[in-house]
Amino acid sequence: MSDRLCVEGGVKLTGVVKAQGAKNAALPVMAAALLLQEGALSIDRVPRLEDVTIMADLLRHLGASVEHVGGRMTVKVGGDLGRYETPDVLVRKMRASSLVLGPLLARRGRAILPLPGGCSIGSRPIDLHLKGLARMGANLEIRRGAVYATAPGRLRGSRIYLDFPSVGATENLLMAAACAKGETVLENAAREPEITNLAHALVAMGASIEGAGSGTIHIQGVDGLKGGSITVIPDRVEASTFLIAGALTGGEVTVTDVVPEHMEALLSKLEEAGASLMVRESSVTVRADGPLSGVTLKTLPYPGFPTDLQPQMMVLLCLAEGTGIIHETVFESRFLHVGELKRMGAKIELQGNTSIVTGTPILNGAEVRGTDLRACAALVLAGLTARGTTVISDVHHLWRGYEAFVEKIRQIGGLISVLDDDGKASFPVETPEAFANHQ
């Protein structure tokens, strides 16, 4: 697919889109399949994304069989996991590759993992993963840019306190503990809905887990896991991106098949900014009839405001009346999109990990570059509101986290197109029927 998007601004987005399955829930559940001793793990509502493809290829490399038909994925693992060394070419493409470390140690007793890659949004070491695994008896060494890990005999249950409620560390240790000997207690664990989804998958496979979704999780290790089934939760970040798009374009957008409770921090800030919301059991509608106002927000672990929505909310603040302030406390380099927004006329001042955004009546189309997954989404939103044409390069990041993103934006009226090799774009008038598969 082309690496550039063309966006025409000035259209109010109106309509209905269906939320995809959550990427950040699907990836750890896929990794958990490595713990299977028999049977298969059936995973429903798996989005078709580049990160999902990378994880599937990684599982295949390790000896698993992976089928992805429609929204259902089936993962099978033979009696003996074939490999324990993960290939550098896959791991460096995606940080979530580190999630195979815990399952490999628990199932195979050893693992070699190149230090993973992903978006350039700051330092994201896996120190907490390694400290926790060491508490469970793993021997760990880092050399030549890779983690060499062994677990003589079997991982042992332990009490582990996380210095920070890291989602990845909580997931890795949760999977490792599921097949460790004895009880593991994870304290100061991450509370994200994706953690609960993973725990439900593990329990469906025969694990014994209590407290997922709280700060303390108890895991009683079992000898092995068997086949089961799980449905991936809705993607709260994708759903929120479309709600922000509806609000900042002055339109009315409904996102269906969501869990509104998972988006409370975002919904609260939208209301504070002046948007109107209608929240139902499994859908949210946003409408902005008048000008929005600047708000102050701080990114925090769940249930705080998600760092993955900070760039999109910054676009809203760029067009709101007054001044908005964003304190980024999760990733120190998640302001790389600021320079691109300023090219479009945004008024943003950076002071360390705080951005002060002064609202302006209009942004102007420009040629900009996506620096990471969520920054790309933010630049699309900016382009939808800008005067004239915006061309966004390096949009390959988008395909890592948003399924059918261009089609869904068109579905609610946005003028967006993938540029062809000759740099030409077309903006067809699409009908809802044309995208019935997203309803």
Side-chain angles (χ1 to χ4, degrees):
M1 185 175 288
S2 172
D3 203 25
R4 292 191 299 162
L5 289 177
C6 183
V7 184
E8 290 288 343
V11 176
K12 292 184 178 182
L13 301 184
T14 303
V16 181
V17 292
K18 178 181 177 180
Q20 68 186 38
K23 177 195 82 159
N24 291 335
L27 296 176
V29 170
M30 291 171 65
L34 292 173
L35 295 168
L36 287 172
Q37 293 282 2
E38 59 180 271
L41 178 61
S42 178
I43 316 170
D44 283 319
R45 203 175 181 179
V46 179
R48 290 199 168 273
L49 304 168
E50 285 199 3
D51 278 12
V52 169
T53 298
I54 293 170
M55 181 62 82
D57 288 343
L58 181 56
L59 296 182
R60 292 188 184 102
H61 172 87
L62 294 170
S65 167
V66 183
E67 293 184 0
H68 193 181
V69 180
R72 172 170 291 182
M73 178 175 286
T74 303
V75 186
K76 298 179 182 178
V77 178
D80 182 26
L81 206 57
R83 295 172 173 164
Y84 58 86
E85 183 172 358
T86 56
D88 182 90
V89 67
L90 292 177
V91 173
R92 293 196 185 278
K93 290 181 179 180
M94 181 181 67
R95 177 176 168 76
S97 301
S98 63
L99 292 174
V100 303
L101 182 58
L104 278 177
L105 274 176
R107 175 73 195 282
R108 195 71 167 77
R110 61 194 308 180
I112 300 176
L113 180 80
L115 294 176
C119 285
S120 300
I121 56 176
S123 174
R124 301 195 290 180
I126 61 171
D127 297 14
L128 297 180
H129 306 230
L130 303 183
K131 286 173 64 176
L133 291 170
R135 290 274 298 170
M136 299 174 71
N139 296 323
L140 303 156
E141 183 181 354
I142 297 179
R143 61 178 187 269
R144 297 193 299 275
V147 177
Y148 289 74
T150 58
R154 184 179 174 186
L155 290 174
R156 304 184 303 273
S158 179
R159 182 173 292 272
I160 303 169
Y161 178 86
L162 295 175
D163 294 332
F164 177 84
S166 161
V167 174
T170 300
E171 291 169 340
N172 232 333
L173 298 173
L174 185 60
M175 290 185 282
C179 292
K181 184 178 181 179
E183 183 183 37
T184 298
V185 180
L186 296 181
E187 296 180 313
N188 197 31
R191 299 164 57 190
E192 273 74 0
E194 293 78 11
I195 300 293
T196 304
N197 201 209
L198 172 60
H200 288 164
L202 291 167
V203 169
M205 296 159 65
S208 176
I209 301 170
E210 294 183 357
S214 72
T216 303
I217 306 176
H218 293 259
I219 310 103
Q220 187 67 45
V222 298
D223 290 336
L225 301 183
K226 60 185 186 305
S229 61
I230 188 69
T231 298
V232 172
I233 58 174
D235 195 313
R236 56 197 173 100
V237 176
E238 186 226 22
S240 297
T241 298
F242 285 106
L243 292 176
I244 294 171
L248 64 86
T249 62
E252 182 173 324
V253 171
T254 298
V255 184
T256 64
D257 283 27
V258 297
V259 180
E261 292 87 345
H262 293 172
M263 302 186 289
E264 286 183 349
L266 179 276
L267 299 181
S268 175
K269 287 300 174 182
L270 286 178
E271 283 192 316
E272 185 181 340
S276 298
L277 298 175
M278 182 175 292
V279 180
R280 301 180 181 88
E281 182 178 357
S282 60
S283 71
V284 178
T285 299
V286 65
R287 186 177 68 253
D289 297 323
L292 299 173
S293 302
V295 298
T296 296
L297 63 91
K298 176 187 291 186
T299 63
L300 291 166
Y302 188 86
F305 193 91
T307 182
D308 279 356
L309 290 177
Q310 179 257 104
Q312 300 92 307
M313 273 299 289
M314 183 178 288
V315 177
L316 186 146
L317 297 181
C318 287
L319 293 161
E321 293 184 343
T323 300
I325 299 175
I326 298 176
H327 303 284
E328 175 59 59
T329 72
V330 180
F331 294 130
E332 73 276 7
S333 296
R334 198 158 212 167
F335 284 140
L336 297 178
H337 49 281
V338 168
E340 304 306 303
L341 290 174
K342 291 174 77 170
R343 289 172 61 85
M344 301 177 71
K347 298 178 180 178
I348 307 169
E349 178 186 352
L350 286 181
Q351 297 180 1
N353 284 342
T354 297
S355 65
I356 301 170
V357 186
T358 303
T360 184
I362 195 166
L363 297 176
N364 293 300
E367 292 193 5
V368 293
R369 182 179 68 88
T371 54
D372 61 73
L373 168 57
R374 306 306 174 185
C376 280
L379 291 174
V380 170
L381 301 192
L384 290 168
T385 67
R387 177 170 50 199
T389 303
T390 299
V391 175
I392 309 165
S393 61
D394 288 355
V395 295
H396 57 273
H397 299 290
L398 267 177
W399 321 136
R400 292 184 48 233
Y402 290 90
E403 182 181 43
F405 186 68
V406 170
E407 292 86 346
K408 287 184 177 182
I409 290 290
R410 285 181 177 175
Q411 181 181 335
I412 54 178
L415 299 178
I416 182 172
S417 182
V418 178
L419 288 176
D420 62 23
D421 292 338
D422 297 324
K424 296 180 180 179
S426 61
F427 300 98
V429 177
E430 303 287 1
T431 63
E433 290 76 17
F435 300 101
N437 59 315
H438 300 312
Q439 293 292 326

